[in-house]
mmCIF file of all heavy atoms in Angstrom:
data_model
loop_
_atom_site.group_PDB
_atom_site.id
_atom_site.type_symbol
_atom_site.label_atom_id
_atom_site.label_comp_id
_atom_site.label_asym_id
_atom_site.label_seq_id
_atom_site.Cartn_x
_atom_site.Cartn_y
_atom_site.Cartn_z
ATOM 1 N N TYR A 82 0.845 -1.186 0.000
ATOM 2 C CA TYR A 82 0.000 0.000 0.000
ATOM 3 C C TYR A 82 0.885 1.241 0.000
ATOM 4 O O TYR A 82 1.967 1.252 0.607
ATOM 5 C CB TYR A 82 -0.892 0.022 1.248
ATOM 6 C CG TYR A 82 -1.913 -1.092 1.281
ATOM 7 C CD1 TYR A 82 -1.552 -2.365 1.718
ATOM 8 C CD2 TYR A 82 -3.219 -0.868 0.881
ATOM 9 C CE1 TYR A 82 -2.479 -3.393 1.740
ATOM 10 C CE2 TYR A 82 -4.159 -1.892 0.902
ATOM 11 C CZ TYR A 82 -3.779 -3.153 1.335
ATOM 12 O OH TYR A 82 -4.703 -4.172 1.358
ATOM 13 N N ASP A 83 0.396 2.285 -0.670
ATOM 14 C CA ASP A 83 1.145 3.534 -0.662
ATOM 15 C C ASP A 83 0.765 4.373 0.550
ATOM 16 O O ASP A 83 -0.034 3.942 1.399
ATOM 17 C CB ASP A 83 0.950 4.311 -1.966
ATOM 18 C CG ASP A 83 -0.489 4.804 -2.161
ATOM 19 O OD1 ASP A 83 -1.289 4.740 -1.210
ATOM 20 O OD2 ASP A 83 -0.800 5.251 -3.281
ATOM 21 N N ALA A 84 1.313 5.584 0.631
ATOM 22 C CA ALA A 84 1.109 6.418 1.816
ATOM 23 C C ALA A 84 -0.329 6.882 1.968
ATOM 24 O O ALA A 84 -0.736 7.304 3.061
ATOM 25 C CB ALA A 84 2.028 7.634 1.758
ATOM 26 N N LEU A 85 -1.135 6.778 0.916
ATOM 27 C CA LEU A 85 -2.539 7.153 0.987
ATOM 28 C C LEU A 85 -3.439 5.961 1.281
ATOM 29 O O LEU A 85 -4.669 6.093 1.297
ATOM 30 C CB LEU A 85 -2.979 7.821 -0.329
ATOM 31 C CG LEU A 85 -2.268 9.131 -0.676
ATOM 32 C CD1 LEU A 85 -2.749 9.645 -2.022
ATOM 33 C CD2 LEU A 85 -2.498 10.172 0.409
ATOM 34 N N GLY A 86 -2.828 4.791 1.518
ATOM 35 C CA GLY A 86 -3.614 3.604 1.833
ATOM 36 C C GLY A 86 -4.148 2.877 0.615
ATOM 37 O O GLY A 86 -4.991 1.981 0.746
ATOM 38 N N ARG A 87 -3.660 3.211 -0.576
ATOM 39 C CA ARG A 87 -4.126 2.560 -1.802
ATOM 40 C C ARG A 87 -3.291 1.311 -2.083
ATOM 41 O O ARG A 87 -2.065 1.345 -1.968
ATOM 42 C CB ARG A 87 -4.029 3.516 -2.986
ATOM 43 C CG ARG A 87 -4.877 4.775 -2.823
ATOM 44 C CD ARG A 87 -4.645 5.756 -3.937
ATOM 45 N NE ARG A 87 -3.265 6.232 -3.949
ATOM 46 C CZ ARG A 87 -2.838 7.277 -4.657
ATOM 47 N NH1 ARG A 87 -3.704 7.947 -5.397
ATOM 48 N NH2 ARG A 87 -1.571 7.644 -4.614
ATOM 49 N N ARG A 88 -3.961 0.219 -2.454
ATOM 50 C CA ARG A 88 -3.233 -1.006 -2.802
ATOM 51 C C ARG A 88 -2.549 -0.804 -4.138
ATOM 52 O O ARG A 88 -3.198 -0.460 -5.134
ATOM 53 C CB ARG A 88 -4.178 -2.193 -2.867
ATOM 54 C CG ARG A 88 -3.462 -3.540 -3.013
ATOM 55 C CD ARG A 88 -4.450 -4.684 -2.888
ATOM 56 N NE ARG A 88 -5.295 -4.783 -4.072
ATOM 57 C CZ ARG A 88 -5.012 -5.509 -5.157
ATOM 58 N NH1 ARG A 88 -3.889 -6.209 -5.198
ATOM 59 N NH2 ARG A 88 -5.818 -5.533 -6.175
ATOM 60 N N VAL A 89 -1.235 -1.021 -4.170
ATOM 61 C CA VAL A 89 -0.473 -0.767 -5.392
ATOM 62 C C VAL A 89 0.176 -2.025 -5.958
ATOM 63 O O VAL A 89 0.628 -2.015 -7.111
ATOM 64 C CB VAL A 89 0.615 0.302 -5.145
ATOM 65 C CG1 VAL A 89 -0.018 1.635 -4.800
ATOM 66 C CG2 VAL A 89 1.574 -0.132 -4.033
ATOM 67 N N ALA A 90 0.219 -3.112 -5.181
ATOM 68 C CA ALA A 90 0.853 -4.333 -5.676
ATOM 69 C C ALA A 90 0.400 -5.530 -4.859
ATOM 70 O O ALA A 90 0.107 -5.408 -3.667
ATOM 71 C CB ALA A 90 2.383 -4.218 -5.623
ATOM 72 N N SER A 91 0.333 -6.686 -5.518
ATOM 73 C CA SER A 91 0.074 -7.950 -4.839
ATOM 74 C C SER A 91 1.333 -8.793 -4.890
ATOM 75 O O SER A 91 1.861 -9.066 -5.978
ATOM 76 C CB SER A 91 -1.088 -8.684 -5.512
ATOM 77 O OG SER A 91 -1.268 -9.969 -4.924
ATOM 78 N N LEU A 92 1.831 -9.175 -3.724
ATOM 79 C CA LEU A 92 3.045 -9.989 -3.652
ATOM 80 C C LEU A 92 2.725 -11.472 -3.626
ATOM 81 O O LEU A 92 3.536 -12.302 -4.052
ATOM 82 C CB LEU A 92 3.870 -9.609 -2.417
ATOM 83 C CG LEU A 92 4.691 -8.321 -2.486
ATOM 84 C CD1 LEU A 92 3.807 -7.091 -2.632
ATOM 85 C CD2 LEU A 92 5.575 -8.177 -1.253
ATOM 86 N N HIS A 93 1.557 -11.819 -3.081
ATOM 87 C CA HIS A 93 1.113 -13.215 -3.067
ATOM 88 C C HIS A 93 -0.348 -13.259 -2.664
ATOM 89 O O HIS A 93 -0.798 -12.473 -1.822
ATOM 90 C CB HIS A 93 1.939 -14.054 -2.083
ATOM 91 C CG HIS A 93 1.559 -15.506 -2.096
ATOM 92 N ND1 HIS A 93 2.075 -16.401 -3.005
ATOM 93 C CD2 HIS A 93 0.680 -16.224 -1.336
ATOM 94 C CE1 HIS A 93 1.546 -17.603 -2.799
ATOM 95 N NE2 HIS A 93 0.696 -17.502 -1.794
ATOM 96 N N ASP A 94 -1.097 -14.169 -3.254
ATOM 97 C CA ASP A 94 -2.482 -14.388 -2.869
ATOM 98 C C ASP A 94 -2.834 -15.840 -3.149
ATOM 99 O O ASP A 94 -3.176 -16.211 -4.277
ATOM 100 C CB ASP A 94 -3.425 -13.449 -3.635
ATOM 101 C CG ASP A 94 -4.848 -13.478 -3.093
ATOM 102 O OD1 ASP A 94 -5.100 -14.256 -2.145
ATOM 103 O OD2 ASP A 94 -5.702 -12.733 -3.610
ATOM 104 N N GLY A 95 -2.713 -16.667 -2.101
ATOM 105 C CA GLY A 95 -2.980 -18.082 -2.274
ATOM 106 C C GLY A 95 -2.389 -18.900 -1.146
ATOM 107 O O GLY A 95 -1.865 -18.356 -0.170
ATOM 108 N N PRO A 96 -2.447 -20.233 -1.259
ATOM 109 C CA PRO A 96 -1.944 -21.094 -0.180
ATOM 110 C C PRO A 96 -0.425 -21.105 -0.111
ATOM 111 O O PRO A 96 0.263 -20.960 -1.117
ATOM 112 C CB PRO A 96 -2.497 -22.478 -0.571
ATOM 113 C CG PRO A 96 -2.713 -22.409 -2.048
ATOM 114 C CD PRO A 96 -3.081 -20.992 -2.350
ATOM 115 N N LEU A 97 0.076 -21.271 1.119
ATOM 116 C CA LEU A 97 1.499 -21.442 1.360
ATOM 117 C C LEU A 97 1.676 -22.520 2.426
ATOM 118 O O LEU A 97 0.861 -22.627 3.345
ATOM 119 C CB LEU A 97 2.157 -20.141 1.843
ATOM 120 C CG LEU A 97 2.376 -19.026 0.814
ATOM 121 C CD1 LEU A 97 2.914 -17.783 1.516
ATOM 122 C CD2 LEU A 97 3.328 -19.475 -0.289
ATOM 123 N N GLY A 98 2.736 -23.286 2.340
ATOM 124 C CA GLY A 98 2.998 -24.320 3.319
ATOM 125 C C GLY A 98 3.709 -23.778 4.548
ATOM 126 O O GLY A 98 4.156 -22.627 4.579
ATOM 127 N N ALA A 99 3.829 -24.621 5.559
ATOM 128 C CA ALA A 99 4.573 -24.243 6.753
ATOM 129 C C ALA A 99 6.041 -24.037 6.398
ATOM 130 O O ALA A 99 6.600 -24.730 5.543
ATOM 131 C CB ALA A 99 4.423 -25.306 7.828
ATOM 132 N N GLY A 100 6.671 -23.050 7.052
ATOM 133 C CA GLY A 100 8.070 -22.781 6.790
ATOM 134 C C GLY A 100 8.283 -21.337 6.400
ATOM 135 O O GLY A 100 7.475 -20.462 6.711
ATOM 136 N N THR A 101 9.387 -21.051 5.702
ATOM 137 C CA THR A 101 9.725 -19.681 5.319
ATOM 138 C C THR A 101 9.491 -19.467 3.827
ATOM 139 O O THR A 101 9.675 -20.386 3.013
ATOM 140 C CB THR A 101 11.190 -19.360 5.662
ATOM 141 O OG1 THR A 101 12.046 -20.287 4.974
ATOM 142 C CG2 THR A 101 11.429 -19.474 7.157
ATOM 143 N N HIS A 102 9.102 -18.250 3.495
ATOM 144 C CA HIS A 102 8.769 -17.920 2.106
ATOM 145 C C HIS A 102 9.304 -16.524 1.789
ATOM 146 O O HIS A 102 9.269 -15.615 2.616
ATOM 147 C CB HIS A 102 7.253 -17.961 1.891
ATOM 148 C CG HIS A 102 6.636 -19.262 2.285
ATOM 149 N ND1 HIS A 102 6.562 -20.348 1.438
ATOM 150 C CD2 HIS A 102 6.089 -19.668 3.471
ATOM 151 C CE1 HIS A 102 5.982 -21.360 2.070
ATOM 152 N NE2 HIS A 102 5.687 -20.969 3.302
ATOM 153 N N ARG A 103 9.742 -16.366 0.562
ATOM 154 C CA ARG A 103 10.327 -15.109 0.104
ATOM 155 C C ARG A 103 9.235 -14.260 -0.558
ATOM 156 O O ARG A 103 8.525 -14.725 -1.460
ATOM 157 C CB ARG A 103 11.450 -15.430 -0.887
ATOM 158 C CG ARG A 103 12.181 -14.230 -1.470
ATOM 159 C CD ARG A 103 13.150 -14.755 -2.537
ATOM 160 N NE ARG A 103 13.845 -13.681 -3.232
ATOM 161 C CZ ARG A 103 15.058 -13.273 -2.933
ATOM 162 N NH1 ARG A 103 15.721 -13.835 -1.935
ATOM 163 N NH2 ARG A 103 15.637 -12.306 -3.630
ATOM 164 N N LEU A 104 9.111 -13.020 -0.107
ATOM 165 C CA LEU A 104 8.185 -12.068 -0.717
ATOM 166 C C LEU A 104 8.999 -10.925 -1.298
ATOM 167 O O LEU A 104 9.875 -10.373 -0.621
ATOM 168 C CB LEU A 104 7.203 -11.520 0.327
ATOM 169 C CG LEU A 104 6.294 -12.532 1.029
ATOM 170 C CD1 LEU A 104 5.489 -11.829 2.114
ATOM 171 C CD2 LEU A 104 5.375 -13.225 0.032
ATOM 172 N N THR A 105 8.720 -10.572 -2.551
ATOM 173 C CA THR A 105 9.516 -9.550 -3.223
ATOM 174 C C THR A 105 8.634 -8.391 -3.654
ATOM 175 O O THR A 105 7.614 -8.587 -4.342
ATOM 176 C CB THR A 105 10.228 -10.128 -4.459
ATOM 177 O OG1 THR A 105 11.073 -11.211 -4.048
ATOM 178 C CG2 THR A 105 11.080 -9.064 -5.128
ATOM 179 N N LEU A 106 9.013 -7.198 -3.239
ATOM 180 C CA LEU A 106 8.357 -5.976 -3.697
ATOM 181 C C LEU A 106 9.207 -5.388 -4.816
ATOM 182 O O LEU A 106 10.363 -5.031 -4.609
ATOM 183 C CB LEU A 106 8.228 -4.963 -2.557
ATOM 184 C CG LEU A 106 7.609 -3.616 -2.928
ATOM 185 C CD1 LEU A 106 6.153 -3.791 -3.355
ATOM 186 C CD2 LEU A 106 7.702 -2.623 -1.770
ATOM 187 N N ASP A 107 8.634 -5.296 -6.018
ATOM 188 C CA ASP A 107 9.353 -4.793 -7.190
ATOM 189 C C ASP A 107 9.366 -3.269 -7.165
ATOM 190 O O ASP A 107 8.395 -2.614 -7.552
ATOM 191 C CB ASP A 107 8.675 -5.303 -8.468
ATOM 192 C CG ASP A 107 9.422 -4.872 -9.720
ATOM 193 O OD1 ASP A 107 10.497 -4.246 -9.589
ATOM 194 O OD2 ASP A 107 8.926 -5.146 -10.826
ATOM 195 N N GLY A 108 10.461 -2.711 -6.699
ATOM 196 C CA GLY A 108 10.568 -1.268 -6.592
ATOM 197 C C GLY A 108 10.630 -0.563 -7.929
ATOM 198 O O GLY A 108 10.291 0.625 -8.033
ATOM 199 N N GLU A 109 11.067 -1.286 -8.978
ATOM 200 C CA GLU A 109 11.162 -0.667 -10.291
ATOM 201 C C GLU A 109 9.798 -0.266 -10.829
ATOM 202 O O GLU A 109 9.675 0.659 -11.638
ATOM 203 C CB GLU A 109 11.835 -1.639 -11.270
ATOM 204 C CG GLU A 109 13.254 -2.027 -10.910
ATOM 205 C CD GLU A 109 14.229 -0.873 -11.127
ATOM 206 O OE1 GLU A 109 13.842 0.111 -11.793
ATOM 207 O OE2 GLU A 109 15.362 -0.951 -10.622
ATOM 208 N N ALA A 110 8.743 -0.969 -10.380
ATOM 209 C CA ALA A 110 7.405 -0.703 -10.898
ATOM 210 C C ALA A 110 6.666 0.372 -10.121
ATOM 211 O O ALA A 110 5.520 0.708 -10.459
ATOM 212 C CB ALA A 110 6.584 -2.004 -10.883
ATOM 213 N N LEU A 111 7.311 0.932 -9.083
ATOM 214 C CA LEU A 111 6.631 1.890 -8.218
ATOM 215 C C LEU A 111 7.407 3.197 -8.147
ATOM 216 O O LEU A 111 8.637 3.222 -8.313
ATOM 217 C CB LEU A 111 6.478 1.312 -6.803
ATOM 218 C CG LEU A 111 5.629 0.035 -6.688
ATOM 219 C CD1 LEU A 111 5.744 -0.544 -5.277
ATOM 220 C CD2 LEU A 111 4.179 0.324 -7.021
ATOM 221 N N ALA A 112 6.689 4.268 -7.879
ATOM 222 C CA ALA A 112 7.329 5.569 -7.725
ATOM 223 C C ALA A 112 8.098 5.619 -6.411
ATOM 224 O O ALA A 112 7.787 4.887 -5.467
ATOM 225 C CB ALA A 112 6.264 6.670 -7.753
ATOM 226 N N PRO A 113 9.101 6.464 -6.295
ATOM 227 C CA PRO A 113 9.791 6.605 -5.014
ATOM 228 C C PRO A 113 8.824 7.027 -3.918
ATOM 229 O O PRO A 113 7.885 7.778 -4.167
ATOM 230 C CB PRO A 113 10.827 7.710 -5.297
ATOM 231 C CG PRO A 113 11.007 7.690 -6.772
ATOM 232 C CD PRO A 113 9.675 7.316 -7.351
ATOM 233 N N GLY A 114 9.074 6.544 -2.716
ATOM 234 C CA GLY A 114 8.196 6.878 -1.598
ATOM 235 C C GLY A 114 8.215 5.807 -0.538
ATOM 236 O O GLY A 114 9.045 4.877 -0.570
ATOM 237 N N VAL A 115 7.294 5.924 0.411
ATOM 238 C CA VAL A 115 7.192 4.985 1.520
ATOM 239 C C VAL A 115 5.973 4.092 1.296
ATOM 240 O O VAL A 115 4.874 4.584 0.991
ATOM 241 C CB VAL A 115 7.062 5.725 2.863
ATOM 242 C CG1 VAL A 115 6.921 4.727 4.007
ATOM 243 C CG2 VAL A 115 8.273 6.621 3.092
ATOM 244 N N TYR A 116 6.160 2.789 1.455
ATOM 245 C CA TYR A 116 5.101 1.808 1.228
ATOM 246 C C TYR A 116 4.993 0.878 2.428
ATOM 247 O O TYR A 116 5.948 0.701 3.193
ATOM 248 C CB TYR A 116 5.385 0.989 -0.043
ATOM 249 C CG TYR A 116 5.376 1.826 -1.294
ATOM 250 C CD1 TYR A 116 6.524 2.511 -1.700
ATOM 251 C CD2 TYR A 116 4.222 1.956 -2.057
ATOM 252 C CE1 TYR A 116 6.518 3.298 -2.839
ATOM 253 C CE2 TYR A 116 4.201 2.745 -3.206
ATOM 254 C CZ TYR A 116 5.354 3.417 -3.588
ATOM 255 O OH TYR A 116 5.337 4.198 -4.709
ATOM 256 N N VAL A 117 3.822 0.288 2.583
ATOM 257 C CA VAL A 117 3.594 -0.711 3.627
ATOM 258 C C VAL A 117 3.290 -2.042 2.958
ATOM 259 O O VAL A 117 2.387 -2.134 2.104
ATOM 260 C CB VAL A 117 2.420 -0.313 4.548
ATOM 261 C CG1 VAL A 117 2.067 -1.456 5.500
ATOM 262 C CG2 VAL A 117 2.766 0.932 5.340
ATOM 263 N N VAL A 118 4.053 -3.072 3.336
ATOM 264 C CA VAL A 118 3.748 -4.438 2.908
ATOM 265 C C VAL A 118 2.963 -5.100 4.034
ATOM 266 O O VAL A 118 3.451 -5.190 5.162
ATOM 267 C CB VAL A 118 5.029 -5.235 2.601
ATOM 268 C CG1 VAL A 118 4.690 -6.696 2.305
ATOM 269 C CG2 VAL A 118 5.763 -4.609 1.424
ATOM 270 N N ARG A 119 1.747 -5.534 3.730
ATOM 271 C CA ARG A 119 0.893 -6.133 4.748
ATOM 272 C C ARG A 119 0.574 -7.572 4.361
ATOM 273 O O ARG A 119 0.160 -7.847 3.233
ATOM 274 C CB ARG A 119 -0.413 -5.343 4.912
ATOM 275 C CG ARG A 119 -1.348 -5.941 5.953
ATOM 276 C CD ARG A 119 -2.642 -5.134 6.105
ATOM 277 N NE ARG A 119 -2.347 -3.770 6.524
ATOM 278 C CZ ARG A 119 -2.736 -2.698 5.864
ATOM 279 N NH1 ARG A 119 -3.426 -2.801 4.764
ATOM 280 N NH2 ARG A 119 -2.423 -1.497 6.317
ATOM 281 N N VAL A 120 0.756 -8.490 5.319
ATOM 282 C CA VAL A 120 0.453 -9.909 5.123
ATOM 283 C C VAL A 120 -0.719 -10.285 6.012
ATOM 284 O O VAL A 120 -0.702 -10.006 7.219
ATOM 285 C CB VAL A 120 1.675 -10.787 5.456
ATOM 286 C CG1 VAL A 120 1.325 -12.268 5.292
ATOM 287 C CG2 VAL A 120 2.857 -10.422 4.570
#
């Protein structure tokens, strides 16, 4: 989400197994600024 609370990207939406998982935010596709990644 951007600073105005708008959803700007989906990093994952679906099932995941137990353990660790890598989530990547593609900064090249977004304008400079502050973002919140929410799971």
Side-chain angles (χ1 to χ4, degrees):
Y82 294 82
D83 66 11
L85 297 177
R87 299 174 297 193
R88 189 173 73 90
V89 296
S91 175
L92 283 64
H93 183 84
D94 190 358
L97 286 175
T101 59
H102 305 274
R103 180 186 176 98
L104 299 175
T105 301
L106 177 65
D107 183 4
E109 298 288 346
L111 298 171
V115 179
Y116 296 85
V117 172
V118 174
R119 179 180 300 124
V120 178

